[in-house]
Amino acid sequence: MQVDYSKLWARYKEMGHKNKTDLIEMAGISTNILAKLTKGEFISMDSIQRICKAMNCDVGDICVINKVEGNS
């Protein structure tokens, strides 16, 4: 499975943010979490909850899990 955060970045841009690093202070996440988001890697539910709270949204508004062909 693969996680897609394109909804997060689209919503973030709609909110008027241009610099992804602003999300660190806005949501109280670490630089490591931001790096994982940028690379499309999985992050903890705690981090997702922080981002959702900061952006006033739900999990489905910021990410999608895609099944990768050939993997279970």
Side-chain angles (χ1 to χ4, degrees), residues 5-58:
Y5 296 109
S6 58
K7 286 182 166 185
L8 165 66
W9 302 123
R11 185 178 188 95
Y12 191 67
K13 186 177 180 181
E14 287 174 8
M15 293 174 71
H17 299 282
K18 295 180 181 178
N19 190 342
K20 289 182 180 181
T21 57
D22 293 340
L23 185 60
I24 294 169
E25 187 174 330
M26 181 178 146
I29 60 171
S30 69
T31 55
N32 291 338
I33 297 299
L34 180 63
K36 286 183 175 196
L37 288 167
T38 303
K39 294 175 188 176
E41 297 177 3
F42 286 98
I43 61 171
S44 71
M45 287 302 296
D46 179 63
S47 297
I48 290 176
Q49 180 183 13
R50 289 171 184 252
I51 294 166
C52 287
K53 185 175 180 182
M55 297 180 74
N56 193 30
C57 64
D58 198 357

